[in-house]
């Protein structure tokens, strides 16, 4: 799961969730074989329409679930 915090014209960019009545940051699950950077570019395009962006990683978080 990845979350992307975006700014445009000095304002935070949020997306209206299609199933919930909430505003959220762009994000979701990384596809198999996709890098976090590729996922960020894809999600920002899919959820905001952005075709060009300056992506800078802030932190990396990883957690394994044991079932």
């Amino acid at each position: 799961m990845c979350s992307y915090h975006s700014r445009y014209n000095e304002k935070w960019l949020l997306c209206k969730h299609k199933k919930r009545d909430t505003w959220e940051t762009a994000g979701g699950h990384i596809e198999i074989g996709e890098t976090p950077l590729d996922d960020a570019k894809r999600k920002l395009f899919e959820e905001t329409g952005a075709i060009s962006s300056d992506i800078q990683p802030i932190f990396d978080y990883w957690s394994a679930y044991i079932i």
Side-chain angles (χ1 to χ4, degrees):
M1 180 76 164
C2 291
S3 176
Y4 305 104
H5 299 77
S6 309
R7 290 179 61 93
Y8 179 74
N9 287 339
E10 300 301 319
K11 296 181 180 179
W12 290 105
L13 184 61
L14 299 173
C15 305
K16 177 82 167 163
H17 195 280
K18 63 184 176 184
K19 294 183 181 177
R20 296 187 288 266
D21 189 26
T22 56
W23 290 91
E24 304 176 3
T25 59
H29 297 282
I30 296 177
E31 301 291 331
I32 295 173
E34 192 172 47
T35 68
L37 180 59
D38 290 337
D39 179 63
K41 290 176 184 178
R42 179 177 58 81
K43 282 294 181 186
L44 287 173
F45 174 72
E46 288 177 356
E47 298 185 22
T48 70
I51 56 174
S52 177
S53 57
D54 178 20
I55 299 173
Q56 300 174 7
I58 297 173
F59 64 90
D60 184 13
Y61 175 81
W62 181 85
S63 177
Y65 292 95
I66 299 173
I67 299 177

